Amino acid sequence: MERKVANIYEDTRELLNQVKDEFDFKSDDQAVKFLCQLFMADDRNELLKRYIEIKKKAGE
């Protein structure tokens, strides 16, 4: 698998480091992958989908 480098804002880096430290993730990849999988498996991701849909309609 090819490695890509993410451009992360300073405040996001601080938050990611906090998550890694508190939950003992060994790498950015491990933490981000876990958090993304958790979000995608959670029914609450539908809220974000609806929000995006409403914003698109409001912009039309």
Side-chain angles (χ1 to χ4, degrees):
M1 191 176 313
E2 184 180 351
R3 177 163 293 284
K4 301 281 183 178
V5 177
N7 185 10
I8 299 176
Y9 288 104
E10 186 176 339
D11 61 340
T12 305
R13 165 56 55 201
E14 290 172 8
L15 187 57
L16 182 58
N17 286 343
Q18 180 183 348
V19 168
K20 284 171 43 184
D21 291 344
E22 188 167 336
F23 298 101
D24 200 29
F25 287 106
K26 303 297 183 210
S27 67
D28 290 354
D29 289 340
Q30 191 180 46
V32 169
K33 185 174 183 178
F34 174 79
L35 293 170
C36 289
Q37 288 173 336
L38 189 68
F39 177 75
M40 293 307 293
D42 192 313
D43 291 338
R44 290 177 285 186
N45 72 37
E46 293 298 322
L47 292 173
L48 182 57
K49 289 178 184 177
R50 277 189 253 143
Y51 171 76
I52 292 169
E53 194 174 304
I54 289 167
K55 281 196 65 119
K56 282 182 185 177
K57 288 180 181 176
E60 292 177 354

